[in-house]
Amino acid sequence: MASFIIEGGCRLNGEIIPQGAKNEALQVICAVLLTPEEVVIENIPDILDVNNLIALLSDMGVETKRLNEGTWSFKAENVDIDYLQSPEFMKKSASLRGSVMIIGPLVARFGRALLPKPGGDKIGRRRLDTHFIGIQKLGANFDYDDATQIYNISADRLVGTYMLLDEASVTGTANILMASVLAEGETTIYNAACEPYIQQLSKLLNQMGAKITGVGSNLLRIEGVKTLSGAKHRILPDMIEIGSFIGMAAMTGSELTIKDAAYDELGIIPDTFRRLGIQLERRGDDIFIPAQDEYVIDTFIDGSILTIADAPWPGLTPDLISVLLVVATQARGSVLIHQKMFESRLFFVDKLIDMGAQIILCDPHRATVIGMGKRAMRATMMTSPDIRAGIALLIAAMCADGKSTIHNVEQIDRGYQNIDVRLNQLGANIMRLD
C-alpha cells in the first residue's frame, strides 16, 4: 500500500495541463468493441482504472497499441468471446467498475456477455438496474446467479424501442446507447444523461456511422445501423481534475494557470467555485486563479446560508462535492454541502475535523461547513477511502501545518495521473513511499 508524505504550507505557481477525462475514457474505450475496424483515441489519461480497462480488452483479443503519449489504437477484429467465462476475466472485471460498460457493445455485436458484479469505490449503493432494464427493453435476456454473483446476458437480436429511464444514469445511458446503435429500428431514450461524457460518446459513435440525434439533451433518438466503422476521437480534459486544481490554488493561496481547460464544457463548475469566494478568470480556453489571502462564501439573495448540491447535468457533478467541501473549510462563512447521490461519500469529513475543520455531519448526505478563514490545519495521518475523498484529503494536507501522511494512495492513482510528480513541479512537497 503506497503512501504520500505531504509537507503542508507550500504555495504552487505556474501552469498545469489537465489530463484527459477518466469517465469519458472508460466509455469510449468500451465503444471500440462495436466495430472490427481500427479506432484511434487521443488524450487517454495514464491512470490505473483506464489502464486496467485497456489491459482487459487486450486479454479479450482486442488489438491495442500505444501510438504515443495519450494516444492508443484499438482494433476489435478478433474478440475471444469465450474468454468471458475464464476465472481470469472474472477476477479482473470484478475489480473494475467501468467494465460494466462492455455489456452493451458485446450484446449488440456478439449477442452475449458475461459479467461478475463489478467493484470500484466504496461510496455507497450504485445499482445497475438502469443498465439492465434498458438493455432488456431492447430484447436481451438477463440471468443473475446470486451464488456466483455473475450476470449472464444474451440476445438473438436487439430491436429498437421507446424507454423512459428511471434515473439519468451516465454509465447506464452509455451502455444502452452503445447497445441501441446496432439494434433494428429506432430507439428513443428519454431521461437520458446529457453529461459532456455522453455527448462525446455520441459524437464518436456518429463518426463510426451511428445515427444519433438529440445529442446534448435528455431525449436521444437512435436509428439502428447494421455495422459501424473505425474513427478517430479526442477525449476532453478532465473537469474533475480542473476543479481539483482550482481548489488546490485557493486552499494554498497560490497563483495557478490551468491550460486548455475546454471552458465551455465545464458547465456551472466555475460559478460554483466563485460562490465560495474564489476568484478565477477565463483567458481563452485557460483558467487563471490569482493568489488570494482569503475568500468569502456567498449567501442566497435573502441572506440565508448557501447550499451546494449535486445534480444530473447540467447540474453540479457529484465527483466535485468532496473538493468543494474541503475548500469551504478555509473560507469565511458557512455552506451546506448536500451530496444527494452516494450515501457514503461524506464520511471522510471526520479526518478534516481531526485536522481542525469546523464541520457538522448532519447525516450521510449533508454536511454543514463553518469556514473560519485561512488558518493552517493540523497535520495528521489518514487513509484514502476513494478517489474523490483521497484528492480532497491531499488538498487539506497541502495547507496543513507540518507533515501529513495519506495511506492507500492507489485510490488517488485510479483517477489522477502522476499527481504527486505534477504538483511537485509547481512547488508542492509530496513524497511517495511504495
Side-chain angles (χ1 to χ4, degrees), residues 17-20 41-46 65-73 234 417-418 422:
I17 300 173
Q19 67 185 28
I41 303 176
E42 300 176 338
N43 203 29
I44 293 179
D46 184 13
K65 187 186 302 179
R66 186 176 182 269
L67 303 180
N68 54 54
E69 186 176 354
T71 301
W72 285 77
S73 165
R234 184 171 180 82
Q417 177 178 325
N418 300 323
R422 296 160 71 204

Side-chain angles (χ1 to χ4, degrees), residues 277-293:
I278 297 166
Q279 299 172 25
L280 54 96
E281 176 186 336
R282 179 177 185 174
R283 294 181 175 179
D285 229 13
D286 302 342
I287 298 174
F288 173 71
I289 305 105
Q292 289 180 252
D293 290 330

Side-chain angles (χ1 to χ4, degrees), residues 250-253 276-277 292-297 325-335 355-359 369-378 396 399-400:
M251 288 277 284
T252 58
L276 292 181
Q292 289 180 252
D293 290 330
E294 70 170 15
Y295 46 99
V296 180
I297 298 172
L325 187 150
V326 74
V327 169
T329 66
Q330 293 292 293
R332 289 196 178 277
S334 299
V335 60
M355 298 175 77
Q358 301 293 303
I359 304 172
V369 183
I370 301 96
M372 306 297 288
K374 285 284 185 73
R375 59 176 185 172
M377 302 177 83
R378 292 188 293 269
C399 76

Side-chain angles (χ1 to χ4, degrees), residues 82-292:
D82 293 329
Y83 174 74
L84 302 184
Q85 296 178 327
S86 69
E88 184 183 6
F89 172 80
M90 296 295 174
K91 181 179 179 181
K92 288 185 176 181
S93 58
S95 64
L96 178 62
R97 181 77 188 182
S99 64
V100 70
M101 285 182 290
I102 69 174
I103 290 177
L106 289 177
V107 173
R109 186 171 162 211
F110 300 102
R112 62 191 177 103
L114 201 71
L115 190 76
K117 190 173 182 179
D121 285 338
K122 304 303 181 185
I123 56 176
R125 184 176 61 96
R126 296 196 285 180
R127 57 190 180 85
L128 299 175
D129 299 54
T130 304
H131 300 245
F132 295 164
I133 291 172
I135 298 174
Q136 275 181 316
K137 287 185 176 181
L138 293 171
N141 298 310
F142 276 77
D143 178 37
Y144 178 63
D145 188 328
D146 191 52
T148 60
Q149 294 192 315
I150 293 174
Y151 298 95
N152 232 308
I153 310 100
S154 62
D156 293 331
R157 65 180 186 139
L158 298 180
V159 180
T161 186
Y162 170 88
M163 64 183 78
L164 174 61
L165 303 188
D166 62 336
E167 63 172 348
S169 164
V170 178
T171 54
T173 300
N175 228 343
I176 297 165
L177 184 60
M178 288 188 281
S180 65
V181 292
L182 293 179
E184 298 175 16
E186 183 178 272
T187 299
T188 300
I189 308 173
Y190 199 18
N191 195 30
C194 51
E195 270 79 353
Y197 313 129
I198 296 295
Q199 296 177 41
Q200 287 286 99
L201 173 64
S202 299
K203 290 174 185 176
L204 169 60
L205 294 173
N206 280 341
Q207 278 190 66
M208 294 166 68
K211 297 178 180 178
I212 306 167
T213 57
V215 177
S217 76
N218 68 348
L219 181 60
L220 296 176
R221 288 190 171 89
I222 306 98
E223 185 65 40
V225 297
K226 292 188 180 298
T227 58
L228 294 176
S229 58
K232 188 174 184 179
H233 177 79
R234 184 171 180 82
I235 293 172
L236 287 173
D238 196 309
M239 68 173 75
I240 314 305
E241 190 170 77
I242 290 167
S244 302
F245 292 148
I246 294 172
M248 288 175 191
M251 288 277 284
T252 58
S254 303
E255 180 179 298
L256 191 63
T257 299
I258 305 171
K259 302 290 291 182
D260 303 325
Y263 193 96
D264 290 334
E265 306 294 339
L266 296 177
I268 65 170
I269 290 172
D271 282 340
T272 303
F273 280 100
R274 288 189 181 104
R275 300 213 72 177
L276 292 181
I278 297 166
Q279 299 172 25
L280 54 96
E281 176 186 336
R282 179 177 185 174
R283 294 181 175 179
D285 229 13
D286 302 342
I287 298 174
F288 173 71
I289 305 105
Q292 289 180 252

